[in-house]
């Protein structure tokens, strides 16, 4: 593994953690006319869609670095670590994670598509002879 590959991989991990923070901070958005249009004050967790599209993309980018196929899961692990860090440790005693269905939707909406893509990457690697066999 070259230094450039390590730097790209570290960048992907940092981007995953940064996206987790961004998605948590904007998770409580509502359609109340403040940031989004006024449509009945409904919760609108748009960051779930951001997680559902960006995490699988980051997994694919990590898998293309010509390293072991198992490193493709790194962006998901970094995203989960950042998410759980804000659940356990709250900065300044403030609550960042809201305790309702939107947090669970964010967790599922980000982790499930990324996990499916990791399975796809590992299956393709095993099909090419890169797996450990058995």
């Amino acid at each position: 593994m070259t230094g450039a590959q390590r730097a790209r991989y570290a960048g992907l991990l940092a981007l995953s953690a940064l996206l987790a923070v961004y998605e948590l901070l904007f998770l409580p958005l509502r359609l109340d006319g403040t940031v989004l249009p006024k449509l009945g004050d409904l919760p609108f967790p748009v960051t779930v869609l951001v997680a559902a599209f960006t995490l699988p993309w980051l997994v694919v980018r990590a898998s293309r670095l010509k390293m072991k196929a198992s490193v493709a899961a790194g962006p998901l692990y970094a995203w989960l670590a950042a998410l759980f860090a804000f659940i356990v440790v709250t900065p300044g005693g403030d609550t960042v994670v809201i305790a309702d269905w939107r947090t669970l939707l964010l967790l599922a909406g980000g982790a499930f598509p990324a996990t499916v893509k990791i399975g796809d990457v590992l299956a393709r690697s095993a099909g090419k002879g890169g797996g450990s066999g058995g």
Side-chain angles (χ1 to χ4, degrees), residues 23-31 43-45 47 96 98 102:
E23 291 156 1
L24 273 177
L25 291 177
F26 286 99
L27 188 61
L29 282 180
R30 303 180 76 81
L31 295 169
F44 188 68
T47 58
V96 177
I98 49 178
R102 292 174 285 184

Side-chain angles (χ1 to χ4, degrees), residues 26-133:
F26 286 99
L27 188 61
L29 282 180
R30 303 180 76 81
L31 295 169
D32 60 358
T34 306
V35 176
L36 298 175
K38 178 127 177 96
L39 290 172
D41 200 29
L42 296 170
F44 188 68
V46 68
T47 58
V48 173
L49 296 175
V50 173
F53 287 106
T54 57
L55 271 175
W57 179 78
L58 289 168
V59 165
V60 169
R61 298 302 301 168
S63 70
R64 291 183 181 167
L65 290 177
K66 305 288 186 221
M67 299 190 300
K68 296 187 307 185
S70 60
V71 301
L76 175 61
Y77 293 151
W79 185 81
L80 287 171
L83 210 70
F84 290 132
F86 276 97
I87 290 173
V88 175
V89 179
T90 58
D94 295 332
T95 303
V96 177
V97 179
I98 49 178
D100 68 357
W101 59 272
R102 292 174 285 184
T103 303
L104 291 176
L105 188 63
L106 176 64
L107 185 60
F112 183 72
T115 303
V116 169
K117 190 49 81 174
I118 290 167
D120 182 42
V121 166
L122 292 177
R124 288 181 189 209
S125 173
K128 291 180 182 176
S132 60

